[in-house]
Amino acid sequence: MVSVKRTAARMLFGSRYNKVPWGQRVYVRPGERLMREAQWRLKLRSARVMSLEEYKATVPLGEIEEFLSCMMCGDSRQQPLFEPTGGRTWRYRVVRCPSCGFLYRNPNIRPERLGDLYANSYSSFLTGKYAANRQRRYQLTMDAFAPVFEHGEGRRLLDFGCGAGLFLELAEQRGFDAVGVDLSPDSVEQANARLTKARAYFGAPEDVPEIAAGGFDVITLWSVLAHLPRPLEDFERFRHLLAPEGVLLILTVNAGSLLLKAYESGWSGFTKNHLMFYSSATLPTLLGRTGFSGVAYAPHYGDTIEAGTSQLPGPLRARLRRAVENSDGGNMMRALAFADDEAISRWGQRLRVRRL
Ligand SMILES: [Zn+2]
């Protein structure tokens, strides 16, 4: 199937775009955005919609799994779309909610069995060369939502799912009074070795008195949202932990990505441990239902484009930016959620805020 697509692409575009990295090609080849969007609409029209009972009858359920209805709108109907796989090590199914368009893994992982997904080597994956790229990505995202992250003095920040502390390190450099929580004890140990003022804790926010007391000006979720099996409960908790004028920053894979429309089950956002896939069409439901007042987005053009290190010629860089904006289809979604109207007045001045 992939080779058929490659052959078709070669016939359409010749070799002109062979030097463009895979993750950028679909954004720069002329006409490809419109073609992929049409292909996507056709897929949605032709994919079957089943009742949950029908769906359960066709799909095996693993020991650590459970069947879900849509967590955003409650519709139990299922539109099976994808079966991503990681070689022989994992495979799962992704369905779309026919009412609200939410994409989620179904069957999903039972929350109490989430630990089974994470291998012991997870923390070593979060350091090394990966660390430098991650920190660049954090810097670029903070810049995109300026001035929220410019001066941290006198402001409290919680990094939920802090891993080895790569972001906490930047937060303390910017003057934030920063704490983090994570469910991997190895990562928390590494984080505390890295940090000077900021602290990382093992466990859930409610397990750590200093964090459970709330009053945070900023909460950050870096590549965490897609891992949450009970997002509504978590976001209600985040909302309570925020101080007046507080904001919540989200970076996650974008279910509206043009790369998903192009590569389908082979999309990079379908990783082993991802459970739910949000876009700017579905995130407002989660935020609105849990008491947030507004949300703003910063389109993601890719780290090399934003950092100015991309090898793409200027006209192609411009074309990529236009394709991302016109499709709302960058590969990552970056969102800033506002706890209340005061937060919108204080931090939303330079942003396009959608009220919830
Ligand atoms: Zn739904």
Side-chain angles (χ1 to χ4, degrees):
M1 186 64 192
V2 172
S3 70
V4 172
K5 281 190 181 170
R6 281 192 188 158
T7 309
R10 212 170 293 141
M11 285 167 64
L12 268 173
F13 302 110
S15 58
R16 276 192 63 196
Y17 298 95
N18 284 5
K19 282 191 187 151
V20 177
W22 267 110
Q24 294 177 330
R25 260 181 230 186
V26 300
Y27 297 97
V28 303
R29 294 194 289 207
E32 184 151 5
R33 174 176 74 81
L34 294 175
M35 186 184 81
R36 298 299 187 184
E37 289 178 338
Q39 200 178 29
W40 176 249
R41 286 192 296 272
L42 191 67
K43 184 179 177 77
L44 296 189
R45 269 206 302 275
S46 55
R48 199 175 153 205
V49 175
M50 309 162 96
S51 73
L52 184 56
E53 292 315 310
E54 277 178 285
Y55 183 69
K56 282 180 179 175
T58 63
V59 172
L61 185 68
E63 191 211 330
I64 66 167
E65 295 179 327
E66 62 179 359
F67 284 107
L68 295 182
S69 296
C70 176
M71 289 233 174
M72 295 302 111
C73 75
D75 193 338
S76 64
R77 290 176 304 154
Q78 309 285 316
Q79 188 175 35
L81 287 190
F82 304 113
E83 285 191 39
T85 170
R88 289 192 190 154
T89 58
W90 57 267
R91 168 185 292 272
Y92 57 83
R93 290 158 205 270
V94 176
V95 300
R96 176 178 176 273
C97 168
S99 294
C100 74
F102 189 49
L103 286 184
Y104 57 104
R105 180 167 169 167
N106 206 17
N108 214 287
I109 306 297
R110 282 158 46 197
E112 69 276 16
R113 300 300 296 273
L114 263 188
D116 295 29
L117 275 190
Y118 295 90
N120 292 330
S121 58
Y122 200 66
S123 66
S124 61
F125 163 70
L126 294 175
T127 51
K129 180 164 182 284
Y130 178 87
N133 287 335
R134 274 287 139 150
Q135 288 192 320
R136 179 178 68 171
R137 176 168 285 185
Y138 300 150
Q139 305 268 21
L140 292 167
T141 300
M142 287 193 281
D143 294 347
F145 289 116
V148 176
F149 292 93
E150 274 168 14
H151 304 289
E153 286 76 15
R155 297 168 65 209
R156 295 186 71 213
L157 180 146
L158 168 64
D159 188 25
F160 183 81
C162 65
L166 298 175
F167 175 70
L168 286 173
E169 186 177 37
L170 299 177
E172 70 177 8
Q173 284 165 11
R174 293 193 180 205
F176 282 98
D177 175 10
V179 291
V181 280
D182 201 276
L183 292 174
S184 156
D186 291 358
S187 296
V188 166
E189 200 174 307
Q190 286 184 31
N192 285 323
R194 170 189 299 277
L195 299 168
T196 51
K197 269 171 50 215
R199 297 313 297 158
Y201 297 92
F202 170 71
E206 59 271 26
D207 301 334
V208 184
E210 182 191 342
I211 295 174
F216 290 97
D217 301 290
V218 179
I219 297 179
T220 49
L221 297 183
W222 296 101
S223 300
V224 166
L225 179 56
H227 298 255
L228 301 178
R230 295 288 182 269
L232 287 159
E233 291 165 26
D234 289 322
F235 271 60
E236 270 167 21
R237 195 172 303 132
F238 298 147
R239 177 65 190 83
H240 286 299
L241 291 175
L242 282 170
E245 298 188 358
V247 292
L248 169 74
L249 177 108
I250 296 161
L251 173 79
T252 187
V253 293
N254 179 13
S257 170
L258 209 54
L259 290 173
L260 167 64
K261 290 168 182 167
Y263 300 138
E264 304 201 343
S265 294
W267 178 49
S268 59
F270 291 137
T271 65
K272 179 183 169 218
N273 296 339
H274 281 173
L275 309 178
M276 300 191 189
F277 308 90
Y278 298 80
S279 69
S280 62
T282 51
L283 182 67
T285 310
L286 174 61
L287 295 171
R289 283 182 63 185
T290 51
F292 286 84
S293 290
V295 60
Y297 300 95
H300 182 245
Y301 304 102
D303 297 347
T304 60
I305 298 278
E306 290 177 30
T309 58
S310 165
Q311 306 289 313
L312 276 191
L316 291 191
R317 286 203 302 270
R319 200 187 284 164
L320 181 145
R321 284 180 172 271
R322 280 198 305 277
V324 165
E325 287 161 9
N326 293 337
S327 60
D328 194 8
N331 206 42
M332 303 295 292
M333 180 171 65
R334 302 187 293 195
L336 190 70
F338 302 85
D340 48 28
D341 290 347
E342 292 71 27
I344 297 175
S345 311
R346 174 147 183 211
W347 302 111
Q349 304 281 344
R350 282 191 250 161
L351 303 167
R352 195 187 306 159
V353 181
R354 174 174 165 183
R355 296 214 173 236
L356 300 168

